[in-house]
Amino acid sequence: MNNVAIIIPFFGDPDYWSPFVERSTFSALNQTVKCEVIVSQGESLQEARNNGAGQTDAEWLIFLDADDELDEMYVEEMLKVSGDIRQPATVEYVDGEPIGDASLIPEKDLREGNYLVVGSMCNAELFWVAG
């Protein structure tokens, strides 16, 4: 069993998402800790995330949206704190080119939008218990 699975979900036109998925997959495969990498398509983001989670028996799940990337030390640092959820940073892309430096994703109140934060690591068992 792999300890960590990085799930890269996407929905919609696969041709549109292809270059994004390629970059996010590269960042997932380039981790200093070996991880299982799963690319998962669905009719919606939540369906794609759940489909991907259902394909692994890893202890920890990281959901990495197809248009985001992880620093090569990300998983190693997350494992040091056993799933401590940290506020991730993103890089904005226009026409496939990065614009500016990485910026922190603003914190959201769950009452405004209940979704998993990109890059957060959660215990797989708790993920399934929560539904």
Side-chain angles (χ1 to χ4, degrees):
M1 171 172 87
N2 282 306
N3 198 36
V4 177
I6 299 174
I7 299 164
I8 302 171
F10 74 96
F11 63 99
D13 181 6
D15 291 333
Y16 170 80
W17 285 105
S18 179
F20 296 105
V21 169
E22 186 176 322
R23 280 196 303 268
S24 58
T25 301
F26 178 80
S27 78
L29 292 170
N30 200 32
Q31 293 297 302
T32 58
V33 173
K34 184 179 178 187
C35 300
E36 179 180 11
V37 178
I38 299 168
V39 176
S40 178
Q41 184 178 10
E43 293 295 317
S44 64
L45 182 59
Q46 62 266 21
E47 181 181 276
R49 285 177 170 175
N50 291 341
N51 288 344
Q55 296 177 40
T56 182
D57 62 354
E59 180 182 3
W60 295 101
L61 305 175
I62 294 177
F63 296 93
L64 176 63
D65 287 354
D67 58 349
D68 294 313
E69 300 171 47
L70 297 175
D71 178 89
E72 67 183 17
M73 298 286 294
Y74 190 82
V75 173
E76 183 176 336
E77 293 299 317
M78 292 297 281
L79 287 171
K80 287 179 184 177
V81 292
S82 299
D84 179 24
I85 297 177
R86 298 172 186 227
Q87 185 179 10
T90 66
V91 176
E92 181 180 354
Y93 284 85
V94 174
D95 296 325
E97 296 297 321
I99 305 275
D101 295 325
S103 59
L104 292 177
I105 296 174
E107 293 182 22
K108 298 283 185 182
D109 185 317
L110 289 176
R111 292 170 291 192
E112 295 174 20
N114 191 347
Y115 57 91
L116 291 169
V117 175
V118 175
S120 62
M121 186 167 81
C122 61
N123 179 275
E125 184 177 337
L126 293 177
F127 173 83
W128 291 113
V129 167

